[in-house]
Amino acid sequence: MSMDWIKFCFLSLFLLCQKTVLAQEYAESYPEECHGTLAFWTSHKTEFEEAAARAGVSPRFMFAIVAPEISQFASLVDKAQTYALKVLYVQQGKAYANFSIGLFQMKPSFVEQLEAYVRADKELAGEYPDVLLPADSKEVRIKRVERLETQDWQMAYLMLFCRVISHRFGDVSFATEEEKLRFYANAYNRGFLLDEKQLRQAGGAYFPFFAIRKFRYADVALWFYRHAL
């Protein structure tokens, strides 16, 4: 065994331990939020199982992708500000107001990107016709916001996100499901239109956005994956 390979193994082990410690520090910083998020998983496991079966991933995997967002939902901006942003988006479109909605904190622009990707692929368009909305208009933006305000549609969009990632990166291999989860979590948090190299990178620590102490989104997702029973 070469020295370079030994160094690589030690470095990989060190980075894995470091990520585990940082994620544990997130759980210690937000104990009630993490407990509540795991309780949400327990009470909604059936919905995740149904969606995951269509997405081709495990229910726990799918939950972990959005678990960090669920854990911070109660700490987000007030309803009055969110309402004002919704009105601005409906009136002017995503260029004027792009904000997050619901427990999974999905942006209208995120859904628009999913719609565009599905529409451009004949197979996906035939498989998910109900997702596709007509050309952009005030009425269409109202419909999109209304969908995002329901848990059923957020789950449907999460399922579709997993399908789109598996379709877009179908030739990408992962050594473990945890490595795959980090890739999907990065795509969810940073944007699924990034390339493979960008999504494999750890990225900066920007989560939670309004917190003083920040963590890597994928690290937090992995913590929830390991603790969801």
Side-chain angles (χ1 to χ4, degrees):
M1 183 180 292
S2 69
M3 285 300 298
D4 288 340
W5 177 249
I6 293 174
K7 289 178 181 178
F8 173 78
C9 291
F10 274 112
L11 178 60
S12 299
L13 181 60
F14 170 77
L15 292 175
L16 177 61
C17 292
Q18 187 180 47
K19 291 170 183 175
T20 302
V21 170
L22 289 174
Q24 183 59 39
E25 289 179 3
Y26 177 85
E28 292 169 356
S29 299
Y30 301 98
E32 293 184 9
E33 290 85 349
C34 289
H35 177 77
T37 302
L38 292 174
F40 178 87
W41 154 250
T42 300
S43 61
H44 292 82
K45 191 178 295 187
T46 299
E47 293 99 306
F48 279 105
E49 288 173 346
E50 293 173 354
R54 297 187 64 193
V57 297
S58 72
R60 186 164 58 110
F61 182 99
M62 178 175 279
F63 160 73
I65 294 172
V66 294
E69 299 289 8
I70 298 172
S71 71
Q72 289 294 318
F73 178 70
S75 304
L76 299 174
V77 293
D78 61 67
K79 293 182 179 180
Q81 183 178 350
T82 302
Y83 176 78
L85 290 171
K86 288 178 185 177
V87 171
L88 189 57
Y89 168 74
V90 166
Q91 296 294 333
Q92 303 293 339
K94 65 181 178 183
Y96 293 87
N98 196 24
F99 56 100
S100 301
I101 303 176
L103 274 174
F104 298 171
Q105 285 296 279
M106 291 180 172
K107 291 181 172 66
S109 62
F110 168 78
V111 174
E112 289 182 30
Q113 289 173 347
L114 286 177
E115 292 172 13
Y117 189 94
V118 171
R119 185 177 287 108
D121 185 86
K122 184 176 181 180
E123 179 183 350
L124 290 176
E127 191 173 351
Y128 304 105
D130 294 344
V131 168
L132 303 178
L133 291 172
D136 188 47
S137 67
K138 179 179 177 180
E139 290 70 26
V140 166
R141 292 194 291 272
I142 290 174
K143 181 69 173 179
R144 192 174 289 117
V145 169
E146 288 176 345
R147 286 182 172 185
L148 280 170
E149 289 178 327
T150 70
Q151 191 61 48
D152 286 346
W153 268 105
Q154 290 231 340
M155 190 70 77
Y157 286 133
L158 177 59
M159 178 276 299
L160 184 61
F161 163 78
C162 291
R163 284 283 288 110
V164 166
I165 294 298
S166 65
H167 182 273
R168 184 161 189 258
F169 298 100
D171 58 344
V172 175
S173 60
F174 303 97
T176 65
E177 187 168 55
E178 291 193 353
E179 180 184 306
K180 181 178 178 179
L181 171 61
R182 295 185 63 82
F183 188 91
Y184 276 58
N186 281 334
Y188 188 81
N189 180 244
R190 295 160 58 190
F192 67 87
L193 296 180
L194 296 176
D195 61 34
E196 178 189 350
K197 181 179 179 180
Q198 291 170 311
L199 294 178
R200 281 192 180 276
Q201 293 171 346
Y206 305 114
F207 183 84
F209 183 76
F210 293 105
I212 296 175
R213 175 75 192 281
K214 299 183 186 297
F215 302 83
R216 290 189 178 95
Y217 187 91
D219 293 347
V220 179
L222 188 56
W223 184 92
F224 280 107
Y225 176 80
R226 291 172 174 173
H227 288 80
L229 303 177

